Amino acid sequence: MALRGVSTPIYSASVAEAGRLHAQWCTADARIDDAAGARYQALFTEHYPWKDTGLGLILGAAALAILAVTLRRTAGEGRPWLRTPSARWPFLVLGLAVIALGEVVTAYSFMTDAYRLYLPACADSWGIPVTLSIYSTLVITPALLVAGIVLTLMFGKLPVPLDQWDRTRPVRSWFVTIVFALLILSVAAVGIASLPTTTSGWILPTVLASYLLAATRAALLAPRREGRLVSTGLSTLAGR
């Protein structure tokens, strides 16, 4: 797919003609002419969508391979390789890695949109949305970290396989599984939808987030820790 994109011209017209139409996207008084913009955008071929999709699939395959190799090499004797981390703190590190990767890809996307002339020359600088995105991430991350810490207090004994199921509490098992399955599907949908765009790199945090969600589901259904302060998750908070 990437090779097909590279072998396809960027525009269906000459670069000079595309440049002329791009210049007309902004009027003399620095206003955006939507009609001129539509004519210019119609010149784009599938050069970038094919290239972005190919790059995204390559990155996704590499991320899956690295994750699988890491889990296999750290499995230990007699343990299944497709499992959760052995402690709570890696869950928080993985969560921060997902946020950081997502922010890097988002910043790259804004810069690439500007480089490819997807935006009119009179539009705001790409630095403005990048700055706002970084600021929003810095504000939200502490709250997400606190929520993650609270969630890890509900974990059972680790590590456990990703297909962990608590037969003693089937209702809880079904509820947790359905909730996290919906979250994984939502994350996967975002990753797939991003492939033909400049955000195709989102496939990296998508792979990591999918594993993190699957591992969190399994950890919540892991055997209870005896003698823990918070050993029964939500039931403990309810006063049981």
Side-chain angles (χ1 to χ4, degrees):
M1 289 181 179
L3 290 174
R4 176 171 178 173
V6 171
S7 63
T8 303
I10 298 175
Y11 303 109
S12 59
S14 66
V15 175
E17 175 66 12
R20 185 182 66 81
L21 288 179
H22 181 266
Q24 294 177 357
W25 200 347
C26 292
T27 62
D29 55 351
R31 294 180 180 274
I32 295 176
D33 186 337
D34 293 331
R39 289 193 297 271
Y40 166 71
Q41 291 174 325
L43 296 180
F44 280 102
T45 66
E46 294 185 348
H47 169 90
Y48 287 129
W50 277 116
K51 193 164 74 169
D52 290 334
T53 301
L55 175 62
L57 291 175
I58 292 171
L59 291 175
L64 284 172
I66 293 172
L67 180 61
V69 169
T70 301
L71 291 175
R72 284 182 180 275
R73 291 189 174 182
T74 59
E77 191 68 25
R79 290 181 178 177
W81 70 272
L82 203 55
R83 70 193 191 289
T84 68
S86 301
R88 300 179 195 173
W89 64 265
F91 288 83
L92 302 177
V93 173
L94 288 173
L96 292 175
V98 169
I99 295 173
L101 281 172
E103 183 54 44
V104 170
V105 172
T106 299
Y108 169 81
S109 173
F110 284 126
M111 290 186 288
T112 304
D113 285 343
Y115 172 77
R116 294 179 179 178
L117 300 180
Y118 280 171
L119 306 172
C122 52
D124 291 335
S125 167
W126 58 264
I128 296 176
V130 168
T131 301
L132 292 176
S133 177
I134 293 174
Y135 177 77
S136 300
T137 300
L138 293 176
V139 170
I140 296 174
T141 298
L144 294 177
L145 185 60
V146 171
I149 293 174
V150 172
L151 194 61
T152 60
L153 296 178
M154 304 176 189
F155 289 175
K157 297 178 182 178
L158 301 176
V160 291
L162 292 188
D163 61 353
Q164 176 69 23
W165 189 267
D166 188 351
R167 295 184 178 181
T168 64
R169 296 179 291 176
V171 174
R172 172 188 169 88
S173 295
W174 276 112
F175 176 77
V176 171
T177 298
I178 291 173
V179 169
F180 278 87
L182 292 175
L183 290 174
I184 292 174
L185 289 174
S186 299
V187 169
V190 172
I192 293 172
S194 72
L195 285 177
T197 70
T198 54
T199 59
S200 61
W202 274 352
I203 201 70
L204 291 174
T206 294
V207 170
L208 200 57
S210 297
Y211 167 73
L212 177 60
L213 290 170
T216 301
R217 185 210 72 86
L220 290 172
L221 300 179
R224 302 179 185 181
R225 292 175 178 267
E226 297 180 1
R228 279 197 327 175
L229 176 62
V230 184
S231 61
T232 58
L234 291 174
S235 59
T236 300
L237 298 178
R240 285 183 56 187

